[in-house]
């Protein structure tokens, strides 16, 4: 990942560290700068208020709900339509015809006219039209077994079993978050940076969060319809419950369309890590104990993780390596040698000594935890990231200038051998049956349009086209020809 923006080109606070090592890219772990966490921190910091305005749902789960979301200077509404689950018509795919919940996130208070428009138009999906203040249309389905188990337990006056919830960790799963002009929703570039939901993916994240809240409110509401003995979900269980996701269809295309934004986000993270690694700490610094506590929590999380990974290191291996990191930290603290060095930057020394000695996922977990030691600085770096113009052209530059730039910043892509039989063995394509991205062998889908992000192939093709032109030709005229 190469720096392509003015912000990313700025030197890191600690000179000498690379912006990103290629081997680390696939192993980046969640942190306070991850989208969901950062947005939740924003809502908490700004003291957003979310309340139920309407919860008109009968015992058959048929009805309408409205939530009010108040940011410091803006109000939004989430309109949801609950339906009894269909055992035959519903599907987790985006081409489904029936969903357990359909909804819309809109700007401003929800009027009856807007509620009825959403009720009428959302089920039409591709032939429906959103109102001008609609930001997101969404759909979700229950996890039938876990939802029913939870409802039965609450109706019986007891909490559901954690082991039951842990099978899927959600009560409802998202099967579509559509916005940015889709179905006539408002385009995100029109919101601007000062809009309460003007940050990266914030409208989608708020909608997903409200799906989660709705699923918990619905299961409690239906349990109360069943029995007068019904109780509410315990706060710790409610916090444990997430929202499932259907396919992450949009994320593939998001990466395609926003390479500079991805670069800015990665650069913000790397700069925050560099700040943490450059901290001057004494052995008694409370931040050492804070890091120790965070490592212990990460170890427990990995030990309890049930996911089976095909490509990444197993959680058992990550947990073992984190145990080793934990021990290394305490050994350094106990013997004091790390604190006797001239720079007294123990976090940097620790990271240097562990690099390459643990699996990348464990190493990246450590770096993500470092960000908790510089929370204000890390959050400020992320807030400075604005969605850039992804297509920036210097029309007066020449073909020769562009070739020089490619040789300087993208030689790694030019060095990749794409002539071998396996270079393009696989293709990302759109499934005709599910309308979702799929990866498969090219011979299995010979007529498919490749949706893959072929950076190396694109760079090599660009260089070939540039070499075929006169070196003094302007970039503007080159683009007109291609």
């Amino acid at each position: 990942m190469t720096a392509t923006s003015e912000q990313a080109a700025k030197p890191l606070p600690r000179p000498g560290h690379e912006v990103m090592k290629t081997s680390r890219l696939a192993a980046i772990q969640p942190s306070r700068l991850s989208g969901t966490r950062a947005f939740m921190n924003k809502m908490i910091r700004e003291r957003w208020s979310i309340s139920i305005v309407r919860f008109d749902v009968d015992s058959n789960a048929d009805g309408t709900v409205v939530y009010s979301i108040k940011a410091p200077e803006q109000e939004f509404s989430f309109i949801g339509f609950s339906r009894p689950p269909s055992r035959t018509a519903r599907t987790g795919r985006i081409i489904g015809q029936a969903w357990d919940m359909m909804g819309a996130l809109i700007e401003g208070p929800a009027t009856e006219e807007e509620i009825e428009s959403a009720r009428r138009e959302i089920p039409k999906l591709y032939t429906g039209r959103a109102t001008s203040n609609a930001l997101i249309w969404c759909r979700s389905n229950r996890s039938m077994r876990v939802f029913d188990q939870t409802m039965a337990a609450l109706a019986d006056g007891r909490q559901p079993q954690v082991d039951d919830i842990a099978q899927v960790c959600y009560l409802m799963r998202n099967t579509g978050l559509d916005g940015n002009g889709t179905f006539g929703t408002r385009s995100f570039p029109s919101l601007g940076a000062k809009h309460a939901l003007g940050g990266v993916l914030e409208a989608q994240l708020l909608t997903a969060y409200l799906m989660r809240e709705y699923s918990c409110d619905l299961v409690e509401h239906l349990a109360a319809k069943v029995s007068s003995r019904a109780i509410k979900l315990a706060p710790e269980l409610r916090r444990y419950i997430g929202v499932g996701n259907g396919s992450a269809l949009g994320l593939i295309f998001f990466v395609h369309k926003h390479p500079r934004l991805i670069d800015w986000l990665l650069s913000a993270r790397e700069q925050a890590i560099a700040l943490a690694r450059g901290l001057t700490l004494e052995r008694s610094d409370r931040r050492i104990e804070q890091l120790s506590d965070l490592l212990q929590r990460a170890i427990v999380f990995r030990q309890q993780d049930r996911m089976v990974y095909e490509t990444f290191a197993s959680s058992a291996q990550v947990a073992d390596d984190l145990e080793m990191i934990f021990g290394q930290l305490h050994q350094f603290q106990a013997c004091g040698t790390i604190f006797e060095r001239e720079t007294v930057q123990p976090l940097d020394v620790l990271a240097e000594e562990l690099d390459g000695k643990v699996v990348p996922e464990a190493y990246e977990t450590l770096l993500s935890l470092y960000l908790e030691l510089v929370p204000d600085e890390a959050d400020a770096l992320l807030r400075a990231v604005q969605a850039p113009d992804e297509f920036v052209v210097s029309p007066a530059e020449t073909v020769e200038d562009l070739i020089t730039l490619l040789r300087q910043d993208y030689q790694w892509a030019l060095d990749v051998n794409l002539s071998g039989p396996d270079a393009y063995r696989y293709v990302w394509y759109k499934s005709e049956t599910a309308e979702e991205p799929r990866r498969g062998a090219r011979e299995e889908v010979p007529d498919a349009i490749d949706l893959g992000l072929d950076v190396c192939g694109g760079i090599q093709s660009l260089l070939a086209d540039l070499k075929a032109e006169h070196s003094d030709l302007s970039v503007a005229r080159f683009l007109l020809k291609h």
Side-chain angles (χ1 to χ4, degrees):
M1 193 70 70
T2 306
T4 58
S5 68
E6 291 181 3
Q7 178 175 341
K10 293 178 183 178
L12 298 181
R14 184 177 182 277
H17 274 259
E18 302 170 42
V19 170
M20 181 65 69
K21 295 182 179 180
T22 304
S23 61
R24 286 173 46 201
L25 280 174
I28 289 178
Q29 299 297 296
S31 74
R32 71 178 299 112
L33 300 190
S34 300
T36 303
R37 173 93 180 276
F39 180 59
M40 293 302 296
N41 284 346
K42 172 183 173 177
M43 289 199 293
I44 293 169
R45 182 174 61 250
E46 297 179 355
R47 300 185 67 83
W48 287 32
S49 171
I50 300 176
S51 58
I52 297 174
V53 175
R54 175 178 175 181
F55 212 97
D56 183 15
V57 179
D58 64 22
S59 59
N60 198 34
D62 194 359
T64 304
V65 301
V66 177
Y67 289 76
S68 170
I69 306 97
K70 292 182 179 178
E73 297 181 4
Q74 273 184 283
E75 182 177 359
F76 304 92
S77 296
F78 177 73
I79 305 168
F81 304 106
S82 178
R83 296 288 180 268
S86 170
R87 304 284 177 172
T88 56
R90 75 181 199 140
T91 172
R93 306 303 181 190
I94 63 173
I95 59 171
Q97 299 298 316
W99 296 273
D100 301 344
M101 190 282 294
M102 295 173 287
L105 178 69
I106 68 170
E107 296 173 304
T111 66
E112 284 301 319
E113 181 180 359
E114 286 164 332
I115 293 172
E116 292 309 312
S117 174
R119 189 194 310 277
R120 180 180 65 252
E121 296 295 323
I122 294 178
K124 299 177 184 177
L125 207 56
Y126 290 106
T127 59
R129 299 301 294 173
T131 55
S132 60
N133 62 340
L135 297 175
I136 300 289
W137 274 9
C138 64
R139 304 169 298 283
S140 63
N141 284 328
R142 297 185 196 177
S143 167
M144 294 301 296
R145 177 172 50 81
V146 175
F147 190 97
D148 289 348
Q149 287 175 337
T150 302
M151 185 174 70
L154 295 178
D156 194 38
R158 55 185 173 83
Q159 294 296 326
Q161 295 293 314
V162 176
D163 285 344
D164 291 338
I165 297 176
Q167 296 300 316
V168 294
C169 297
Y170 60 82
L171 299 178
M172 300 191 81
R173 68 195 297 253
N174 156 48
T175 62
L177 288 167
D178 301 293
N180 198 24
T182 309
F183 313 133
T185 52
R186 185 173 172 184
S187 67
F188 293 150
S190 73
L191 301 182
K194 294 184 179 180
H195 192 280
L197 295 175
V200 179
L201 298 176
E202 286 184 346
Q204 293 96 321
L205 291 171
L206 176 58
T207 307
Y209 174 71
L210 290 166
M211 280 185 182
R212 197 286 294 266
E213 290 300 289
Y214 162 76
S215 71
C216 294
D217 291 336
L218 180 65
V219 77
E220 291 177 346
H221 177 80
L222 294 178
K225 292 282 187 181
V226 171
S227 169
S228 60
R229 299 172 51 226
I231 60 174
K232 302 283 189 181
L233 277 165
E236 58 271 22
L237 279 181
R238 185 160 180 146
R239 284 195 298 267
Y240 181 72
I241 293 169
V243 60
N245 191 63
S247 67
L249 167 68
L251 292 181
I252 293 174
F253 304 112
F254 184 85
V255 173
H256 278 227
K257 289 182 66 67
H258 302 289
R260 297 187 73 205
L261 175 59
I262 300 300
D263 178 62
W264 285 25
L265 292 169
L266 289 174
S267 295
R269 179 180 184 272
E270 290 300 297
Q271 291 182 58
I273 290 171
L275 284 171
R277 291 179 66 162
L279 287 173
T280 300
L281 303 176
E282 302 293 337
R283 267 193 290 181
S284 59
D285 196 297
R286 61 174 181 78
R287 285 170 290 188
I288 298 296
E289 287 305 318
Q290 181 185 0
L291 179 60
S292 177
D293 292 342
L294 290 169
L295 277 168
Q296 288 181 300
R297 292 177 63 183
I299 291 167
V300 171
F301 173 82
R302 282 294 190 169
Q303 289 173 338
Q304 295 180 351
D305 185 18
R306 302 185 180 199
M307 178 64 69
V308 177
Y309 299 95
E310 296 180 2
T311 304
F312 302 106
S314 69
S315 273
Q317 176 64 62
V318 176
D320 288 345
D321 281 0
L322 290 176
E323 291 267 21
M324 188 267 279
I325 294 173
F326 177 80
Q328 190 89 340
L329 176 65
H330 276 264
Q331 181 180 354
F332 280 151
Q333 191 177 18
C335 68
T337 55
I338 191 173
F339 296 92
E340 293 169 3
R341 306 198 181 185
E342 197 171 312
T343 58
V344 199
Q345 294 176 338
L347 301 184
D348 185 51
V349 176
L350 181 64
E352 286 287 350
E353 297 201 8
L354 289 169
D355 195 3
K357 296 180 181 178
V358 295
V359 294
E361 292 82 358
Y363 186 74
E364 284 302 310
T365 296
L366 175 65
L367 296 185
S368 289
L369 297 181
Y370 276 8
L371 300 183
E372 300 300 324
L373 309 184
V374 287
D376 295 338
E377 296 89 339
D379 292 350
L381 283 165
L382 184 63
R383 288 198 297 273
V385 174
Q386 302 296 334
D389 184 349
E390 293 292 348
F391 190 63
V392 179
V393 179
S394 299
E397 289 186 345
T398 65
V399 161
E400 184 178 13
D401 295 330
L402 201 49
I403 289 176
T404 300
L405 180 64
L406 289 179
R407 294 292 189 192
Q408 174 183 307
D409 291 345
Y410 291 92
Q411 189 61 46
W412 61 270
L414 298 173
D415 291 340
V416 174
N417 181 12
L418 297 177
S419 62
D422 293 332
Y424 289 102
R425 180 183 176 188
Y426 293 98
V427 58
W428 279 99
Y429 63 95
K430 190 175 182 179
S431 165
E432 289 184 355
T433 55
E435 295 190 16
E436 294 176 351
R438 294 285 184 267
R439 178 179 179 269
R442 188 172 294 273
E443 61 267 21
E444 296 175 0
V445 282
D447 299 324
I449 297 175
D450 192 350
L451 303 175
L453 183 60
D454 182 15
V455 174
C456 297
I459 293 293
Q460 293 181 17
S461 296
L462 173 59
L463 182 61
D465 288 338
L466 289 169
K467 285 182 173 180
E469 302 292 349
H470 194 279
S471 61
D472 291 335
L473 184 69
S474 71
V475 169
R477 293 192 178 279
F478 174 78
L479 289 175
L480 287 172
K481 292 184 67 174
H482 298 272

